[in-house]
């Protein structure tokens, strides 16, 4: 996603191609093809019909306005796939984990603030029951826990 704002400048890179000598033309064409390839790859993993990320849909869809916490794991587009807006500050782990982040997530779980929890580890969570498991394209397992009423 970080590259998307730069794609608008790709058009400006095509204009000087007509003025280039043959020595620099080949690398320029490769650069244009690379930009087109990255634009075409945006969000290709979010297709409902065959994506592993939608395997939790039958459970999450049962709840009206569900809340979700990605507990001690990084976000892998679950919020986008299920159209959920995070309610907590530390709704997922970030690239630079700090102790406060994990402490806050532990507090969210202890207070049972989320309807559903997704983890990358099979674990026991007080007040929640494991209802499903799926494996992503890189063989990483994700587990869905539902809050016990």
């Amino acid at each position: 996603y970080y590259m998307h704002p730069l794609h608008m400048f790709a058009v400006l890179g095509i204009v000087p191609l007509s003025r280039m000598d043959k020595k620099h033309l080949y690398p320029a064409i490769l650069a244009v093809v690379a930009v087109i390839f990255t634009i075409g790859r945006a969000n290709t993993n979010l297709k409902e019909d065959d994506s592993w990320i939608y395997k939790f849909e039958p459970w999450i869809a049962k709840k009206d306005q569900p809340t979700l916490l990605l507990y001690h794991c990084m976000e892998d587009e679950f919020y986008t796939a299920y159209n959920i807006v995070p309610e907590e500050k530390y709704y997922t782990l970030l690239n630079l984990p700090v102790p406060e982040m994990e402490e806050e997530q532990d507090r969210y779980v202890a207070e049972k603030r989320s309807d559903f929890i997704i983890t990358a580890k099979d674990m026991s969570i007080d007040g929640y029951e494991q209802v499903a498991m799926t494996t992503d394209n890189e063989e990483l397992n994700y587990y869905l826990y539902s809050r016990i009423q």
Side-chain angles (χ1 to χ4, degrees):
Y1 295 112
Y2 301 113
M3 295 297 295
H4 289 305
L6 299 176
H7 290 150
M8 65 183 171
F9 296 112
V11 175
L12 299 175
I14 295 172
V15 173
L17 285 179
S18 61
R19 298 184 200 146
M20 293 188 113
D21 59 0
K22 293 187 181 202
K23 177 182 175 185
H24 299 294
L25 186 59
Y26 183 69
I29 290 173
L30 284 177
V32 169
V33 169
V35 168
I36 291 170
F37 178 74
T38 58
I39 291 171
R41 296 241 336 137
N43 288 330
T44 56
N45 62 330
L46 288 180
K47 297 189 179 184
E48 287 188 54
D49 55 343
D50 61 352
S51 180
W52 62 270
I53 205 164
Y54 288 95
K55 301 292 188 213
F56 296 151
E57 179 71 24
W59 292 273
I60 293 177
K62 290 178 184 176
K63 181 85 173 155
D64 186 37
Q65 296 182 339
T67 55
L68 176 65
L69 174 68
L70 292 174
Y71 187 52
H72 295 290
C73 65
M74 296 189 66
E75 217 288 291
D76 205 353
E77 300 187 29
F78 287 105
Y79 288 97
T80 303
Y82 299 124
N83 199 25
I84 297 174
V85 177
E87 294 189 353
E88 310 297 346
K89 179 178 180 180
Y90 298 112
Y91 60 91
T92 187
L93 287 186
L94 303 177
N95 288 337
L96 182 64
V98 292
E100 176 189 2
M101 187 183 314
E102 293 183 5
E103 291 168 6
E104 283 295 297
Q105 281 201 338
D106 291 340
R107 184 175 65 83
Y108 302 155
V109 171
E111 295 175 1
K112 300 174 183 58
R113 293 173 74 160
S114 298
D115 297 319
F116 298 97
I117 294 175
I118 295 176
T119 69
K121 297 177 185 171
D122 188 8
M123 59 177 62
S124 176
I125 303 174
D126 288 337
Y128 290 85
E129 64 179 335
Q130 183 181 352
V131 294
M133 189 273 286
T134 188
T135 303
D136 72 3
N137 299 333
E138 297 169 4
E139 304 301 318
L140 179 65
N141 293 333
Y142 287 97
Y143 302 88
L144 177 68
Y145 296 83
S146 178
R147 185 172 57 207
I148 299 171
Q149 301 299 336

